[in-house]
Amino acid sequence: MSTVVVTRLIDAPVAAVWQVFTDLSRRREWLTAVTRVEVRSPGPFGAGTVWRETRSMADGGEVTEEFRVRECEVPERFVVTSPGIGADYRMTYSFVPVMSGRHRGGTMVTVKQDGSATAPAGRILGLIFGGLAAETAEGALRRDLDDLAAVA
């Protein structure tokens, strides 16, 4: 299992950051790597929400992943899972208000991604490329939070 944690200060209130991040119909507009989003469940964002997201990769290809919200505490945190090829992912997003200092009124967003191999090939690749995969995941999460900060 590998874990990546990324934190980013966003100069906007929690409610605004939450609204932007959880508005699945508009993700393609502000996430630079996302080329397509398909919401697969009706209703507001919350536990049980499912969507598919297609992202462009550094090598010019694309990857489509399905995400399912497992836990949701509006507007503090949510947990999504995504089955991968040879590995499953669990991402916890936390939105904490900044209560003091020059960024008071802003939001500290933290993403924790845990990945676990689900197949023998995934375990072998994890041993060989684990550090590289973690760096790639960290870079993607940082880009997403930078995009969020720019729009929120």
Side-chain angles (χ1 to χ4, degrees):
M1 173 174 283
S2 70
T3 299
V4 174
V5 179
V6 175
T7 299
R8 172 78 154 79
L9 173 68
I10 298 177
D11 284 320
V14 169
V17 175
W18 179 272
Q19 176 59 37
V20 169
F21 203 87
T22 60
D23 184 353
L24 300 177
S25 67
R26 301 192 68 193
R27 285 176 73 80
R28 187 174 163 269
E29 295 173 19
W30 61 270
L31 278 169
T32 55
V34 173
T35 60
R36 186 172 52 241
V37 174
E38 176 190 354
V39 180
R40 302 180 63 97
S41 56
F45 185 92
T49 298
V50 178
W51 77 97
R52 290 173 61 89
E53 194 169 280
T54 302
R55 290 175 173 257
S56 52
M57 305 301 289
D59 65 3
E62 287 188 331
V63 63
T64 300
E65 296 177 290
E66 184 168 286
F67 298 94
R68 177 177 302 274
V69 179
R70 297 294 180 181
E71 302 171 29
C72 186
E73 299 168 27
V74 178
E76 299 164 6
R77 70 185 280 279
F78 64 88
V79 177
V80 297
T81 57
S82 178
I85 300 171
D88 286 341
Y89 299 95
R90 177 182 177 92
M91 291 157 286
T92 302
Y93 293 84
S94 301
F95 303 82
V96 177
V98 177
M99 304 303 281
S100 63
R102 68 183 184 124
H103 295 288
R104 187 174 76 172
T107 305
M108 191 65 70
V109 180
T110 300
V111 185
K112 178 182 177 189
Q113 177 179 299
D114 295 306
S116 58
T118 58
R123 288 184 197 89
I124 293 168
L125 288 174
L127 289 172
I128 297 170
F129 297 111
L132 179 59
E135 286 179 22
T136 301
E138 181 178 349
L141 293 172
R142 283 194 191 287
R143 267 190 312 281
D144 286 358
L145 293 184
D146 288 346
D147 290 347
L148 177 62
V151 74

